[in-house]
Coordinates of all heavy atoms in Angstrom, one line a residue:
I113 N 118.1 64.2 -163.7 CA 116.8 63.4 -163.9 C 115.9 64.1 -164.9 O 115.6 65.2 -164.8 CB 116.1 63.3 -162.5 CG1 117.0 62.7 -161.4 CG2 114.8 62.5 -162.6 CD1 116.5 62.8 -160.0
N114 N 115.5 63.3 -165.9 CA 114.8 63.7 -167.0 C 113.3 63.0 -166.8 O 113.1 61.8 -166.9 CB 115.3 63.2 -168.3 CG 116.5 64.0 -168.7 OD1 116.8 65.0 -168.5 ND2 117.6 63.1 -169.1
V115 N 112.4 63.8 -166.3 CA 111.1 63.4 -166.1 C 110.4 63.5 -167.6 O 110.2 64.6 -168.1 CB 110.3 64.2 -165.1 CG1 108.9 63.8 -164.9 CG2 111.0 64.1 -163.7
D116 N 110.0 62.2 -168.0 CA 109.3 62.2 -169.3 C 107.8 62.4 -169.1 O 107.2 62.3 -168.1 CB 109.5 60.7 -169.8 CG 111.0 60.6 -170.2 OD1 111.7 61.5 -170.4 OD2 111.4 59.3 -170.2
N117 N 107.3 62.9 -170.3 CA 105.8 62.9 -170.4 C 105.3 61.7 -170.8 O 105.3 61.2 -172.1 CB 105.4 64.0 -171.5 CG 104.0 64.2 -171.6 OD1 103.1 63.5 -170.9 ND2 103.5 64.9 -172.5
C118 N 104.8 60.8 -169.9 CA 104.6 59.4 -170.0 C 103.0 59.2 -170.2 O 102.6 58.1 -170.1 CB 105.1 58.5 -168.9 SG 106.9 58.4 -168.7
H119 N 102.3 60.4 -170.5 CA 100.8 60.4 -170.5 C 100.5 61.2 -171.9 O 99.9 62.2 -171.8 CB 100.2 61.0 -169.4 CG 100.5 60.3 -168.1 ND1 99.9 59.3 -167.7 CD2 101.5 60.6 -167.1 CE1 100.3 58.8 -166.5 NE2 101.3 59.6 -166.1
K120 N 101.1 60.7 -173.0 CA 100.8 61.5 -174.1 C 99.6 60.9 -175.0 O 99.4 59.6 -175.0 CB 102.0 61.3 -175.2 CG 103.3 62.0 -174.6 CD 104.5 61.6 -175.7 CE 105.7 62.2 -174.9 NZ 106.9 61.8 -175.9
L121 N 98.6 61.8 -175.5 CA 97.6 61.4 -176.3 C 97.7 62.1 -177.7 O 97.8 63.3 -177.7 CB 96.3 61.7 -175.7 CG 94.9 61.4 -176.3 CD1 94.9 60.0 -176.6 CD2 93.9 62.2 -175.7
Q122 N 97.5 61.5 -178.7 CA 97.5 62.1 -180.1 C 96.0 61.9 -180.6 O 95.4 60.7 -180.6 CB 98.5 61.3 -181.0 CG 98.5 61.8 -182.4 CD 99.4 61.1 -183.4 OE1 99.3 59.9 -183.3 NE2 100.2 61.8 -184.1
I123 N 95.5 63.0 -181.1 CA 94.3 63.0 -181.6 C 94.3 63.5 -183.0 O 94.9 64.6 -183.4 CB 93.2 63.8 -180.8 CG1 93.1 63.4 -179.4 CG2 91.8 63.9 -181.4 CD1 92.2 64.2 -178.5
T124 N 93.8 62.8 -184.1 CA 93.8 63.2 -185.4 C 92.3 63.0 -185.9 O 91.6 62.0 -185.5 CB 94.7 62.3 -186.3 OG1 94.4 61.0 -186.2 CG2 96.2 62.6 -185.9
G125 N 91.9 63.8 -186.9 CA 90.6 63.6 -187.6 C 90.1 64.7 -188.2 O 90.8 65.6 -188.6
D126 N 88.8 64.7 -188.5 CA 88.2 65.7 -189.3 C 88.1 67.1 -188.6 O 88.0 67.2 -187.4 CB 86.7 65.3 -189.6 CG 86.6 64.0 -190.3 OD1 87.4 63.7 -191.1 OD2 85.6 63.1 -190.0
N127 N 88.4 68.1 -189.6 CA 88.4 69.5 -189.1 C 87.2 70.3 -189.5 O 86.5 70.9 -188.7 CB 89.6 70.3 -189.6 CG 90.9 69.7 -188.8 OD1 90.8 69.4 -187.7 ND2 91.9 69.7 -189.4
L128 N 86.8 70.1 -190.7 CA 85.8 70.9 -191.2 C 84.9 70.1 -192.3 O 85.4 69.5 -193.2 CB 86.4 72.2 -191.9 CG 85.3 73.1 -192.5 CD1 84.5 73.9 -191.4 CD2 86.0 74.3 -193.3
K129 N 83.7 70.1 -192.1 CA 82.7 69.6 -193.1 C 81.6 70.5 -193.3 O 81.2 71.3 -192.4 CB 82.2 68.2 -192.5 CG 83.3 67.0 -192.6 CD 82.6 65.8 -192.2 CE 83.5 64.6 -192.2 NZ 82.9 63.3 -191.9
E130 N 81.0 70.5 -194.6 CA 79.8 71.3 -194.8 C 78.6 70.5 -194.6 O 78.6 69.1 -194.8 CB 79.9 71.7 -196.2 CG 81.0 72.8 -196.4 CD 80.8 73.5 -197.7 OE1 79.7 73.6 -198.3 OE2 81.8 74.0 -198.2
I131 N 77.5 70.9 -194.0 CA 76.3 70.3 -193.8 C 75.2 71.2 -194.2 O 75.2 72.3 -194.2 CB 76.3 69.9 -192.2 CG1 75.0 69.1 -191.8 CG2 76.2 71.2 -191.4 CD1 75.0 68.4 -190.5
C132 N 74.1 70.4 -194.7 CA 72.9 71.1 -195.0 C 71.8 70.9 -193.9 O 72.0 69.9 -193.3 CB 72.3 70.6 -196.4 SG 73.5 71.0 -197.8
G133 N 70.8 71.7 -193.9 CA 69.8 71.5 -193.0 C 69.2 70.2 -193.0 O 68.9 69.6 -194.2
G134 N 68.8 69.5 -191.9 CA 68.0 68.2 -191.9 C 69.2 67.0 -192.1 O 68.8 65.9 -192.0
E135 N 70.5 67.3 -192.3 CA 71.4 66.3 -192.5 C 72.0 65.8 -191.1 O 72.1 66.6 -190.3 CB 72.5 66.7 -193.6 CG 72.2 66.5 -194.9 CD 73.5 66.8 -195.8 OE1 74.2 67.7 -195.4 OE2 73.8 66.0 -196.7
I136 N 72.5 64.8 -191.0 CA 73.3 64.3 -190.0 C 74.7 63.8 -190.5 O 74.7 63.0 -191.4 CB 72.7 63.2 -189.1 CG1 71.4 63.6 -188.6 CG2 73.6 62.7 -188.1 CD1 70.6 62.6 -187.8
I137 N 75.7 64.4 -190.0 CA 77.1 63.9 -190.5 C 77.9 63.7 -189.3 O 77.6 63.9 -188.1 CB 77.8 65.0 -191.3 CG1 77.9 66.3 -190.5 CG2 77.1 65.3 -192.6 CD1 79.1 67.2 -191.0
S138 N 78.9 62.9 -189.4 CA 79.9 62.5 -188.4 C 81.3 63.0 -188.6 O 81.7 63.0 -189.7 CB 79.7 61.0 -188.1 OG 80.2 60.3 -189.3
Y139 N 81.8 63.3 -187.5 CA 83.3 63.6 -187.5 C 84.0 62.5 -186.8 O 83.6 62.0 -185.8 CB 83.5 65.0 -186.7 CG 83.1 66.2 -187.4 CD1 81.8 66.6 -187.4 CD2 84.0 67.1 -188.1 CE1 81.3 67.8 -188.2 CE2 83.6 68.3 -188.7 CZ 82.2 68.6 -188.7 OH 81.8 69.8 -189.3
N140 N 84.9 62.1 -187.5 CA 85.7 60.9 -187.0 C 87.1 61.4 -186.3 O 87.8 62.1 -187.1 CB 86.1 59.9 -188.0 CG 86.8 58.6 -187.6 OD1 86.7 58.4 -186.5 ND2 87.4 58.1 -188.6
Y141 N 87.3 60.9 -185.1 CA 88.6 61.3 -184.5 C 89.2 60.0 -184.0 O 88.7 59.1 -183.4 CB 88.3 62.2 -183.3 CG 87.7 63.5 -183.7 CD1 86.3 63.7 -183.7 CD2 88.6 64.5 -184.2 CE1 85.7 65.0 -184.1 CE2 88.1 65.8 -184.7 CZ 86.6 65.8 -184.7 OH 86.0 67.0 -185.1
Q142 N 90.5 59.8 -184.4 CA 91.3 58.8 -183.8 C 92.1 59.1 -182.7 O 92.9 60.1 -182.9 CB 92.2 58.2 -185.0 CG 92.9 57.0 -184.6 CD 93.8 56.3 -185.8 OE1 94.6 57.0 -186.3 NE2 93.6 55.0 -185.9
M143 N 92.1 58.4 -181.7 CA 92.9 58.7 -180.4 C 94.0 57.7 -180.3 O 93.6 56.5 -180.2 CB 91.9 58.9 -179.3 CG 91.2 60.1 -179.5 SD 90.1 60.3 -178.0 CE 88.6 59.6 -178.7
T144 N 95.2 58.1 -180.1 CA 96.3 57.1 -180.0 C 96.9 57.5 -178.6 O 97.4 58.5 -178.3 CB 97.2 57.1 -181.1 OG1 96.5 57.0 -182.4 CG2 98.3 56.1 -181.0
N145 N 97.1 56.3 -177.8 CA 97.8 56.5 -176.4 C 99.4 56.5 -176.8 O 99.8 55.2 -177.2 CB 97.4 55.5 -175.6 CG 98.1 55.6 -174.2 OD1 99.0 56.3 -174.1 ND2 97.6 54.8 -173.3
L146 N 100.1 57.4 -176.8 CA 101.6 57.4 -177.0 C 102.3 57.3 -175.8 O 103.6 57.4 -175.7 CB 102.0 58.7 -177.9 CG 101.2 58.9 -179.3 CD1 101.7 60.2 -180.0 CD2 101.6 57.7 -180.2
G147 N 101.7 57.2 -174.7 CA 102.2 57.2 -173.4 C 102.7 55.6 -173.0 O 102.6 54.9 -173.7
N148 N 103.1 55.6 -171.7 CA 103.6 54.3 -171.2 C 102.5 53.6 -170.4 O 103.0 52.5 -169.9 CB 104.8 54.6 -170.4 CG 106.0 55.1 -171.0 OD1 105.7 55.8 -172.2 ND2 107.1 55.3 -170.4
Y149 N 101.4 54.1 -170.2 CA 100.3 53.5 -169.3 C 99.0 53.3 -170.0 O 98.8 54.2 -170.8 CB 100.2 54.4 -168.1 CG 101.5 54.6 -167.3 CD1 102.1 55.8 -167.2 CD2 102.1 53.8 -166.5 CE1 103.3 56.1 -166.8 CE2 103.3 53.9 -165.8 CZ 103.8 55.2 -165.8 OH 105.0 55.4 -165.3
K150 N 98.3 52.3 -169.5 CA 96.9 52.3 -169.9 C 96.2 53.4 -169.4 O 96.3 53.8 -168.2 CB 96.2 51.0 -169.4 CG 94.9 50.9 -169.8 CD 94.1 49.6 -169.4 CE 92.7 49.5 -169.9 NZ 92.1 48.1 -169.4
E151 N 95.4 54.2 -170.2 CA 94.7 55.4 -169.8 C 93.2 55.4 -170.0 O 92.9 54.7 -171.2 CB 95.3 56.6 -170.5 CG 96.7 56.8 -170.4 CD 97.1 57.6 -169.1 OE1 96.4 58.0 -168.3 OE2 98.3 57.8 -168.9
T152 N 92.5 55.9 -169.3 CA 91.1 56.0 -169.6 C 90.7 57.5 -169.7 O 91.0 58.2 -168.8 CB 90.1 55.4 -168.5 OG1 90.5 54.1 -168.5 CG2 88.6 55.6 -168.8
Y153 N 90.3 57.9 -170.8 CA 90.0 59.4 -171.2 C 88.5 59.6 -171.0 O 87.6 59.0 -171.6 CB 90.5 59.8 -172.6 CG 92.0 59.6 -172.6 CD1 92.5 58.3 -173.3 CD2 92.9 60.4 -172.1 CE1 93.7 58.2 -173.4 CE2 94.2 60.1 -172.3 CZ 94.7 59.0 -172.9 OH 96.0 58.8 -173.1
Q154 N 88.1 60.8 -170.5 CA 86.6 61.2 -170.5 C 86.6 62.2 -171.7 O 87.3 63.2 -171.7 CB 86.3 61.9 -169.2 CG 84.9 62.2 -169.1 CD 84.5 62.6 -167.7 OE1 85.2 62.8 -166.8 NE2 83.2 62.9 -167.6
L155 N 85.4 62.0 -172.4 CA 85.3 62.8 -173.5 C 84.2 63.8 -173.3 O 83.1 63.4 -172.7 CB 85.0 61.9 -174.9 CG 85.9 60.8 -175.2 CD1 85.5 60.1 -176.4 CD2 87.3 61.4 -175.5
K156 N 84.3 65.0 -173.6 CA 83.4 66.1 -173.4 C 83.3 67.0 -174.6 O 84.3 67.2 -175.2 CB 83.8 66.9 -172.1 CG 83.6 66.2 -170.8 CD 83.8 67.2 -169.6 CE 83.7 66.5 -168.3 NZ 83.8 67.5 -167.2
L157 N 82.3 67.5 -174.7 CA 81.9 68.6 -175.9 C 81.6 69.9 -175.3 O 80.9 70.0 -174.2 CB 80.9 68.2 -176.8 CG 81.0 67.0 -177.9 CD1 79.8 66.7 -178.5 CD2 82.1 67.8 -178.7
E158 N 82.2 70.9 -175.8 CA 81.7 72.1 -175.5 C 81.1 72.8 -176.7 O 81.9 73.0 -177.7 CB 82.8 73.0 -174.9 CG 83.3 72.6 -173.4 CD 84.3 73.6 -172.9 OE1 84.6 74.6 -173.5 OE2 85.0 73.1 -171.9
G159 N 79.9 73.2 -176.8 CA 79.2 73.7 -178.0 C 77.7 73.5 -178.0 O 77.2 73.2 -176.9
P160 N 77.1 73.7 -179.1 CA 75.6 73.7 -179.3 C 75.0 72.2 -178.9 O 75.8 71.2 -179.0 CB 75.4 74.0 -180.7 CG 76.6 74.2 -181.2 CD 77.8 74.0 -180.3
D161 N 73.8 72.1 -178.6 CA 73.3 70.9 -178.3 C 73.0 69.9 -179.4 O 72.8 68.8 -179.1 CB 71.9 71.1 -177.6 CG 72.0 71.7 -176.2 OD1 73.1 71.7 -175.6 OD2 71.0 72.4 -175.7
F162 N 73.1 70.4 -180.6 CA 73.0 69.5 -181.8 C 74.2 68.7 -182.2 O 74.2 68.0 -183.1 CB 72.4 70.3 -182.9 CG 73.4 71.4 -183.4 CD1 74.3 71.2 -184.2 CD2 73.1 72.8 -182.9 CE1 75.3 72.2 -184.6 CE2 73.8 73.8 -183.4 CZ 74.9 73.6 -184.2
I163 N 75.2 68.7 -181.2 CA 76.5 67.9 -181.4 C 76.4 66.9 -180.2 O 76.4 67.2 -179.1 CB 77.7 68.7 -181.4 CG1 77.7 69.8 -182.5 CG2 79.0 67.8 -181.7 CD1 78.8 70.8 -182.5
T164 N 76.6 65.6 -180.8 CA 76.7 64.6 -179.7 C 77.8 63.6 -179.9 O 78.3 63.7 -181.0 CB 75.3 63.7 -179.7 OG1 75.1 63.1 -181.0 CG2 74.2 64.6 -179.3
L165 N 78.3 63.0 -178.8 CA 79.5 62.1 -178.9 C 79.1 60.6 -179.1 O 78.0 60.3 -178.4 CB 80.4 62.2 -177.7 CG 81.1 63.6 -177.7 CD1 81.8 63.7 -176.4 CD2 82.3 63.5 -178.9
S166 N 79.8 59.8 -179.7 CA 79.5 58.4 -179.8 C 79.8 57.7 -178.4 O 79.2 56.7 -178.0 CB 80.3 57.7 -180.7 OG 81.7 57.8 -180.6
Q167 N 80.5 58.2 -177.6 CA 80.8 57.7 -176.2 C 81.4 58.7 -175.3 O 81.9 59.8 -175.8 CB 81.8 56.5 -176.3 CG 83.1 56.9 -177.0 CD 83.8 55.8 -177.6 OE1 83.4 55.4 -178.7 NE2 84.9 55.2 -176.9
D168 N 81.3 58.5 -174.0 CA 81.8 59.5 -173.0 C 83.2 59.1 -172.5 O 84.1 59.9 -172.0 CB 80.8 59.6 -171.9 CG 79.5 60.2 -172.2 OD1 79.6 60.9 -173.1 OD2 78.5 59.9 -171.5
L169 N 83.5 57.7 -172.5 CA 84.7 57.4 -172.0 C 85.4 56.5 -173.1 O 84.7 55.7 -173.8 CB 84.6 56.4 -170.8 CG 84.2 57.1 -169.5 CD1 84.0 56.2 -168.4 CD2 85.2 58.1 -169.0
I170 N 86.8 56.6 -173.0 CA 87.6 55.6 -174.1 C 88.8 55.2 -173.3 O 89.4 56.0 -172.6 CB 87.9 56.2 -175.4 CG1 88.4 55.3 -176.4 CG2 88.8 57.6 -175.1 CD1 88.4 55.9 -177.7
S171 N 89.1 54.0 -173.3 CA 90.3 53.3 -172.6 C 91.2 52.9 -173.8 O 90.8 52.3 -174.6 CB 89.9 52.2 -171.8 OG 89.2 52.5 -170.6
L172 N 92.5 53.1 -173.4 CA 93.6 52.8 -174.5 C 94.8 52.3 -173.8 O 95.2 52.9 -172.7 CB 94.0 54.1 -175.2 CG 92.9 54.7 -176.0 CD1 93.4 56.1 -176.8 CD2 92.4 53.8 -177.2

Side-chain angles (χ1 to χ4, degrees):
I113 300 171
N114 296 312
V115 178
D116 294 330
N117 183 358
C118 299
H119 302 279
K120 295 179 188 175
L121 175 67
Q122 179 185 46
I123 300 175
T124 58
D126 300 325
N127 288 328
L128 180 65
K129 289 185 177 183
E130 292 192 22
I131 186 172
C132 295
E135 278 187 314
I136 298 176
I137 63 166
S138 65
Y139 286 80
N140 180 23
Y141 297 98
Q142 183 180 53
M143 291 179 266
T144 305
N145 180 355
L146 299 177
N148 296 13
Y149 304 105
K150 180 178 181 177
E151 303 277 3
T152 300
Y153 302 98
Q154 184 173 5
L155 307 179
K156 288 184 178 181
L157 279 176
E158 289 185 16
D161 290 341
F162 56 84
I163 303 173
T164 58
L165 288 173
S166 60
Q167 60 205 73
D168 293 333
L169 294 174
I170 190 164
S171 291
L172 297 171

